[in-house]
Amino acid sequence: MSFRRTLVLGTASVVGVATLILAPAPALAAQPPSAPASGQHDDSLRDLGAKSGLRIGTAVSPAGLADPEYRELIADQFSSVTAENEMKWETLEPVRGQYNWGPADRLVEFAKQNHQLVRGHVLLWQNQLPAWLTQGVADGSIDKDELREILKQHVYNTVGHFKGKIWHWDVVNEAFTDDWETGSAPSGVHPERFWVKHLGPEILSDVFRWAHDADPKAKLYYNDYAIEHIGQKSNALYEWTKQQLAAGVPIHGMGFQTHLSTEYGFPGGFQRNLQRFADLGLDVALTEVDIRTFVDSPETQEPLTPALQQQQEDYWRQTIEACLAVRECVSYTVWGVSDAQSWVPGWFQGMGSALLWDEHLQPKPQYFDVQEVLATTDAEHRTGWGAGRN
Ligand code: XIL
């Protein structure tokens, strides 16, 4: 489960990379007079996003953080960060009772130095759990009561450790059934996923309550994939969220992972879907954006054709446009920086090219697309915590 790709970055000097990345994009030549004067920092995604009060984030790995070029790019381009794996349970507590805060603490410190906010990821999820926990449940040495207590302690310890330093917590991740697996069965909370299977569906509400208790100022999110379109899964999630809010469960935001692929159409009704969740009184966020496509590989023999490239660019534009169009959409996070360290090739055979920078850390056309949309939008300014420039 703990796939890691080696970070392979280009050999260009820091200055060379920065110049390339920060140079005004051709597309920006057409920007209106009100846009910032072109030059250095004003063209970064973070500064362009700040015009609308929108945080632009990325997932960060320790390997990335150790690389000077990559660090500089993250500092320049992004106003929020998410730990790609370092706040997941298997990393935080690999041995029962022994916490490994170091990697996550280093990211939080980096964020502070660079005036970035942190999205905490993740508290309750069925993946990347430590073996001592899953094995203990499987062999019966951890019973239901103990499991609930372990989870509660994990939430209090983790949220408590980072108290005051986390903007958003992804409290519950990927708990709903997918459109394609429901068939004639009703969509809803997945009965077979680890936590609900062992502790029942009410555990989802409990985790929100515990997290809120441990850090009352953090904004608490439900986060999931394949909820971008209006469909069975997002409808079921919408109904569940309404019920939770009516029952007073402290849910403050809805995270749309937005792992898209050119294999499928663009999610139908994405903007309307974001808006209907926002209309429940929630903030919304695009939390893990990447747009994968077929790449030239021995397995598929599919080249990255101009048509696929164009389709990717259209999708990138549409995702940032959908977020900007909904005033409650407060952050837009891409799931990594360079194609060289994206999770996609390891998880989706024959696919890749899912991010905004190539494997040599050079910005791709989709980077300039996102930049242009941010530069030319007349979206309303976001409000609330995080909507400032820094
Ligand atoms: C992925 C990471 O990017 C990989 O490095 C790791 O091996 C597996 O998890 N949904 C999520 C993220 O919520 O935590 C996942 O991140 C991608 C899918």
Side-chain angles (χ1 to χ4, degrees):
M1 202 64 229
S2 58
F3 158 82
R4 292 267 153 64
R5 281 180 72 79
T6 318
L7 190 77
V8 187
L9 293 178
T11 50
S13 72
V14 172
V15 174
V17 170
T19 311
L20 245 165
I21 289 162
L22 298 173
L28 285 181
Q31 65 186 253
S34 61
S38 65
Q40 286 279 315
H41 215 57
D42 287 344
D43 292 329
S44 71
L45 300 184
R46 73 180 289 173
D47 272 26
L48 293 173
K51 292 195 320 148
S52 316
L54 176 66
R55 293 276 165 171
I56 308 293
T58 184
V60 181
S61 66
L65 215 53
D67 184 286
E69 285 179 26
Y70 189 99
R71 281 172 79 90
E72 174 159 336
L73 190 153
I74 296 167
D76 281 346
Q77 294 286 334
F78 297 101
S79 48
S80 89
V81 290
T82 307
E84 185 167 357
N85 291 298
E86 287 58 45
M87 292 188 190
K88 293 173 182 172
W89 202 330
E90 72 173 1
T91 307
L92 284 185
E93 198 186 1
V95 177
R96 188 169 181 178
Q98 290 182 21
Y99 279 88
N100 167 40
W101 303 114
D105 283 346
R106 279 190 282 282
L107 180 62
V108 171
E109 184 53 35
F110 175 86
K112 190 173 160 200
Q113 282 164 11
N114 293 294
H115 308 288
Q116 295 163 324
L117 295 181
V118 181
R119 298 198 76 262
H121 177 81
V122 54
L123 297 175
L124 180 141
W125 191 29
Q126 57 275 2
N127 287 4
Q128 293 179 272
L129 293 169
W132 62 262
L133 177 66
T134 49
Q135 275 164 20
V137 171
D139 68 21
S141 60
I142 297 175
D143 67 11
K144 187 176 171 183
D145 289 345
E146 191 181 1
L147 183 64
R148 185 181 156 83
E149 203 45 43
I150 289 172
L151 176 62
K152 186 174 177 182
Q153 277 313 312
H154 175 76
V155 172
Y156 274 95
N157 288 343
T158 305
V159 178
H161 177 82
F162 297 108
K163 186 175 179 185
K165 298 174 181 168
I166 299 289
W167 180 38
H168 296 164
W169 264 114
D170 287 334
V171 175
V172 173
N173 199 30
E174 303 182 350
F176 272 65
T177 52
D178 293 309
D179 283 7
W180 55 86
E181 64 189 343
T182 50
S184 55
S187 307
V189 172
H190 202 304
E192 291 302 316
R193 295 200 180 147
F194 185 83
W195 294 105
V196 169
K197 180 175 176 181
H198 295 292
L199 298 175
E202 320 77 46
I203 196 63
L204 306 184
S205 323
D206 289 338
V207 173
F208 277 100
R209 293 195 188 95
W210 295 333
H212 186 56
D213 192 33
D215 186 354
K217 290 195 179 149
K219 298 279 185 200
L220 306 184
Y221 277 66
Y222 177 90
N223 192 54
D224 214 330
Y225 63 89
I227 56 165
E228 293 76 28
H229 64 288
I230 295 190
Q232 288 185 57
K233 186 175 182 180
S234 63
N235 288 344
L237 177 60
Y238 178 75
E239 292 306 324
W240 177 86
T241 306
K242 266 204 298 202
Q243 287 162 12
Q244 297 295 306
L245 293 172
V249 177
I251 302 178
H252 310 120
M254 189 54 60
F256 298 76
Q257 291 184 4
T258 322
H259 292 293
L260 304 187
S261 170
T262 59
E263 283 169 285
Y264 312 113
F266 188 79
F270 195 0
Q271 182 186 325
R272 271 188 299 128
N273 196 31
L274 293 171
Q275 190 65 61
R276 71 171 168 164
F277 280 95
D279 290 345
L280 294 178
L282 301 176
D283 282 343
V284 296
L286 274 54
T287 54
E288 305 182 13
V289 186
D290 53 22
I291 299 167
R292 61 188 183 270
T293 191
F294 296 105
V295 287
D296 202 353
S297 80
E299 288 86 14
T300 63
Q301 303 296 323
E302 291 263 9
L304 177 49
T305 61
L308 289 175
Q309 169 66 31
Q310 188 56 52
Q311 194 185 349
Q312 281 189 303
E313 289 189 53
D314 290 345
Y315 283 18
W316 278 103
R317 282 178 176 271
Q318 290 182 72
T319 57
I320 187 72
E321 282 168 359
C323 176
L324 283 166
V326 175
R327 194 179 187 185
E328 295 80 6
C329 187
V330 295
S331 73
Y332 179 95
T333 295
V334 296
W335 204 241
V337 172
S338 146
D339 284 338
Q341 41 84 49
S342 164
W343 74 306
V344 165
W347 287 79
F348 302 93
Q349 211 193 5
M351 305 202 84
S353 193
L355 294 171
L356 296 176
W357 282 266
D358 71 14
E359 52 288 339
H360 305 297
L361 214 51
Q362 303 302 312
K364 292 158 55 177
Q366 32 275 66
Y367 167 82
F368 298 110
D369 292 321
V370 172
Q371 195 188 43
E372 190 197 8
V373 172
L374 289 169
T376 56
T377 184
D378 54 4
E380 281 185 284
H381 203 278
R382 272 101 258 269
T383 56
W385 181 21
R389 190 174 169 81
N390 288 315

